[in-house]
Every structure is written in structure tokens, then in C-alpha cells.
Amino acid sequence: MVPGIGTAAAEFSLAVYAHTTLGLREFEAARLRIAQINGCLFCLDWRTDRDGEKVEEEFADAVTEWRTTEAFDERTRLAAEYAERYALDHHGLDEEFWTRMSARYSQAEIVELSMSIGSWLAFGRLNHVLGLDAQCVLPTG
């Protein structure tokens, strides 16, 4: 409906999937945590596929319990934590958090994860607010 902005937004949205260097589990932990916060139905149902590999079915439940789950390594747990704090308390990202984050992620990975989270936060929220998430359906098969 807004070609000039829509095309650029779609390209940015697709770029975080096409050009990511992040592992599938940390990528999906952050993406699903944002989907849970946004309430985007489409985003909650979506699972990123990398060469036929997807996270296990129980992964979304583990994301909900990111603080205590034993299913995550430290990078995956940090990705879920960062996504949640980015969306709900970005002013509270303190030195202690950045010290933990920098111990597990390179600066380039932090920027990439930040851009991905920003994309998911914006577009997932837009989809939910405008009701587009209930209109889009995942292809079957």
C-alpha cells in the first residue's frame, strides 16, 4: 500500500534472514522472544528454516522460560534475554549486561542481533497492530 516504504521495509526484513551469521538457535531464541512480546500470530507460528534444519517443536516453550531452561547454552539464553530487554527495557541495558554479552558475542554479532531484533520488533508489532498477522497464513506442505 506504500510502495516507496514497503519495498525498502520488505528488503530489510528479508535481509536479516538472508545475511545472518548467527547460529539458528540464538537467532530463533531472539526472534521468538520478540514474537511472544509482540503477540504476532504469524511470527509465533513461523520457524526459520536453514537448509532444512529448524529448531525443535519444544523450542518456543524454552524461549518463554529462557531464564531457567536447560535447553539453552549461554549464547542462546543471552539472545532471548537481549530480545526481551531490547523490547521492554532498553534503558535498563547496563554495564553488567554488556559485559556478559561481550563475553559471548563479537561486536559485529551484537550489531547484527540488534538490527534483527529491531526488524522483528517493528514488523511483528506492525503486523499485529494492523491485524495483518491474522490475515497471513503459512503455506502448508
Side-chain angles (χ1 to χ4, degrees), residues 86-119:
Y86 186 108
L88 301 176
D89 186 26
H90 61 285
H91 292 288
L93 292 168
D94 56 13
E95 245 351 271
E96 183 275 331
F97 171 79
W98 289 118
T99 298
R100 289 187 294 116
M101 193 71 174
S102 296
R104 300 280 191 231
Y105 285 89
S106 70
Q107 290 300 305
E109 289 174 319
I110 291 171
V111 171
E112 180 182 337
L113 187 56
S114 300
M115 293 182 78
S116 296
I117 291 169
S119 170

Side-chain angles (χ1 to χ4, degrees), residues 5 8 12 14 22 27 35 39 47 54 59 63 87 98 107 117 129 131 138 141:
I5 298 172
F12 176 50
L14 293 173
L22 299 168
F27 185 88
R47 294 298 177 271
K54 294 183 182 183
F59 192 82
V63 170
W98 289 118
Q107 290 300 305
I117 291 169
V129 167
L138 290 175

Side-chain angles (χ1 to χ4, degrees), residues 7-127:
T7 301
E11 288 176 8
F12 176 50
S13 181
L14 293 173
V16 301
Y17 292 90
H19 302 291
T20 187
T21 64
L22 299 168
L24 179 61
R25 292 180 68 76
E26 58 220 27
F27 185 88
E28 279 292 273
R31 190 196 64 73
L32 275 166
R33 189 64 195 120
I34 293 298
Q36 292 166 349
I37 291 166
N38 281 342
C40 176
L41 302 173
F42 178 81
C43 303
L44 287 165
D45 285 342
W46 174 265
R47 294 298 177 271
T48 301
D49 184 323
R50 293 224 188 120
D51 300 321
E53 183 182 343
K54 294 183 182 183
V55 293
E56 65 276 10
E57 194 61 39
E58 306 80 29
F59 192 82
D61 293 333
V63 170
T64 302
E65 302 296 327
W66 64 264
R67 287 173 185 83
T68 57
T69 185
E70 294 183 17
F72 288 176
D73 63 14
E74 193 58 27
R75 278 178 60 99
T76 305
R77 188 178 317 282
L78 273 167
E81 178 183 358
Y82 184 36
E84 181 175 300
R85 293 179 73 175
Y86 186 108
L88 301 176
D89 186 26
H90 61 285
H91 292 288
L93 292 168
D94 56 13
E95 245 351 271
E96 183 275 331
F97 171 79
W98 289 118
T99 298
R100 289 187 294 116
M101 193 71 174
S102 296
R104 300 280 191 231
Y105 285 89
S106 70
Q107 290 300 305
E109 289 174 319
I110 291 171
V111 171
E112 180 182 337
L113 187 56
S114 300
M115 293 182 78
S116 296
I117 291 169
S119 170
W120 300 320
L121 183 63
F123 297 123
R125 198 159 286 185
L126 179 141
N127 286 341

